[in-house]
Amino acid sequence: MGKKAKLTINDFESVSTNEELLNLVAKKGMSIDKVKEKITYEEELKKLQVELVKLQQWVAKNNKRVAVIFEGRDAAGKGGNIRRFMEHLNPRSMRLVALNKPTVIEKGQWYFQRYIKELPNPGEIVFFDRSWYNRAVVEPVMDFCTKEEYKKFLVQVPEFEHMLYEDGVTIIKFWLSISKDEQLRRFDARNDDPLKRWKFSPVDKKGQELWDRYTFYKDEMFSKTHTTYSPWIVVKTNEKKKARIECIRHVLSQFDYQTEEELKTMTNPDPNIVMRYYRSVNHLD
C-alpha cells in the first residue's frame, strides 16, 4: 500500500483561500468531507450574521421591539445558538436575558413581573436563554411550583403574549428539539471537557431520568400556548450547525428589513429542520 497523502507547511503557505486549500486537497486525493462541511458552515454563518447586522440596524431605525426566546431540554443548544446570533451585533441595542431562580421577593410577585422589566425597549433585540416558560416544563417536572401555579400560568400566558403582540412586541419562540440519545452524548461530552463541566448540574442528570415527564409537560405547553400571534417554532437540533443556521434564517425571514435584491444569501429556513409546532408530527424529543 502506498503512503497516505499529507499536507505540508509549504502546502499551507502556498494557498490563501479556503477554495484553494480544498482544490489542493482534492489534487492529493485526500478525503476531507468534514473539513469541507465546516468551511461551508462557517461561510454561510458569516453571510447570515451580516444579514443579522442589517436586521439590527433596521430594528433600531424603526423602533421595533423584538424578543427571541430559546427553550428546550438541557443540552439542546440554546446557548450555542444565542452566541451565533449575538456574535457580531451591536451590544448597545441587544441584550441577553438568562435569569437565575427567583428571589424571595420575586416569588411573592405576579409570576410575569420579573420578565416584564426584561422585555425589549424600542429599537432593541433581546435574546432569552429560557424564559417565563420555565413554569410550563422545568418547574412542574422538578416540583418547583404548585399545581395551582402551573394551571394559572397556562391560562395567563396566551393573554400575556397577546397583550405584548397588540402593543407591537414581536415574540419569536424556539423550541430546540433533541433526541434522548443525543442529549446523553452531550452530557457525557460536557463531563469530559473541563471548560464545559460547569454546565452540567444534578437537574441535567434528572433530565434523562424524567424524560417522559418532560415530554408530557412539553406537549401540554404546546397545546395550550401555541397561538397564531405567538406560535411555537420547533427546531431539530441533533445536528448543531444546521440548527444554528436555520434558526438565524427563520428570524431573518420574519422581517421585511430589505428587498430580495439586497439579500446576500437565502433567508428562508429548511422546513425539514424548522417548522411550526402543529406541522411537526414527529419531534426528536
Side-chain angles (χ1 to χ4, degrees):
M1 290 180 70
K3 290 183 179 179
K4 285 186 178 180
K6 293 182 179 179
L7 289 174
T8 65
I9 295 296
N10 288 336
D11 287 333
F12 281 106
E13 289 177 346
S14 70
V15 299
S16 57
T17 66
N18 285 336
E19 190 176 356
E20 288 176 1
L21 176 61
L22 289 174
N23 288 335
L24 178 63
V25 170
K27 280 182 184 176
K28 292 196 171 216
M30 296 169 67
S31 176
I32 54 151
D33 289 344
K34 285 189 176 180
V35 175
K36 195 170 183 179
E37 190 178 297
K38 190 172 191 302
I39 289 172
T40 302
Y41 159 73
E42 288 177 349
E43 288 177 347
E44 186 59 26
L45 178 63
K46 186 177 179 181
K47 289 177 186 175
L48 289 167
Q49 287 175 330
V50 168
E51 295 302 317
L52 280 174
V53 170
K54 294 178 188 174
L55 172 63
Q56 186 186 34
Q57 292 170 341
W58 179 85
V59 167
K61 183 180 177 182
N62 293 279
N63 283 329
K64 299 293 183 182
R65 290 172 287 163
V66 181
V68 186
I69 292 172
F70 288 86
E71 291 288 347
R73 297 177 194 255
D74 293 304
K78 295 179 289 295
N81 255 288
I82 293 170
R83 279 194 296 278
R84 272 64 185 189
F85 270 91
M86 296 176 64
E87 199 169 6
H88 299 291
L89 297 183
N90 183 345
R92 290 177 182 170
S93 55
M94 169 271 296
R95 274 186 294 124
L96 168 63
V97 175
L99 298 184
N100 288 318
K101 62 181 183 180
T103 63
V104 174
I105 291 174
E106 287 173 335
K107 283 181 179 177
Q109 297 173 342
W110 180 42
Y111 177 74
F112 294 97
Q113 192 165 329
R114 74 189 194 121
Y115 293 102
I116 288 173
K117 61 188 179 188
E118 303 292 349
L119 290 169
N121 297 310
E124 191 177 41
I125 302 174
V126 175
F127 298 96
F128 284 85
D129 186 345
R130 295 203 182 278
S131 66
W132 47 88
Y133 281 101
N134 272 332
R135 180 144 292 178
V137 182
V138 176
E139 289 191 16
V141 166
M142 305 302 293
D143 293 321
F144 291 161
C145 68
T146 65
K147 288 182 179 179
E148 290 70 26
E149 287 171 334
Y150 169 71
K151 288 177 181 176
K152 187 187 288 184
F153 170 82
L154 288 182
V155 170
Q156 290 184 349
V157 70
E159 297 173 9
F160 172 66
E161 290 177 353
H162 191 254
M163 285 190 289
L164 296 178
Y165 168 77
E166 286 195 321
D167 203 53
V169 179
T170 299
I171 303 175
I172 296 171
K173 302 189 304 197
F174 284 123
W175 177 268
L176 305 186
S177 181
I178 185 176
S179 68
K180 189 176 184 181
D181 289 344
E182 179 61 16
Q183 186 191 52
L184 181 60
R185 192 192 68 76
R186 291 184 190 179
F187 282 166
D188 290 341
R190 282 180 178 180
N191 271 327
D192 293 339
D193 186 345
L195 292 175
K196 293 183 178 179
R197 206 168 289 152
W198 64 271
K199 291 183 174 183
F200 194 75
S201 71
V203 174
D204 290 339
K205 191 175 180 182
K206 284 206 166 185
Q208 282 273 302
E209 296 171 12
L210 301 172
W211 182 270
D212 293 340
R213 194 165 155 84
Y214 267 93
T215 301
F216 170 79
Y217 281 105
K218 175 204 71 170
D219 291 341
E220 284 293 293
M221 176 190 74
F222 284 149
S223 68
K224 303 288 195 303
T225 66
H226 176 84
T227 59
T228 54
Y229 51 85
S230 187
W232 275 106
I233 306 300
V234 177
V235 185
K236 294 181 178 178
T237 59
N238 273 9
E239 294 183 64
K240 286 183 182 178
K241 291 185 172 70
K242 285 185 180 178
R244 291 167 186 166
I245 291 289
E246 301 306 327
C247 279
I248 295 176
R249 282 202 174 113
H250 176 77
V251 170
L252 292 170
S253 71
Q254 300 304 295
F255 303 94
D256 295 322
Y257 65 99
Q258 62 177 343
T259 63
E260 286 186 21
E261 292 74 26
E262 295 173 314
L263 289 172
K264 301 300 181 187
T265 188
M266 186 177 71
T267 58
N268 289 323
D270 183 342
N272 295 309
I273 296 175
V274 177
M275 61 208 80
R276 289 197 172 206
Y277 149 67
Y278 62 84
R279 291 193 175 179
S280 177
V281 179
N282 298 312
H283 300 167
L284 291 175
D285 59 356

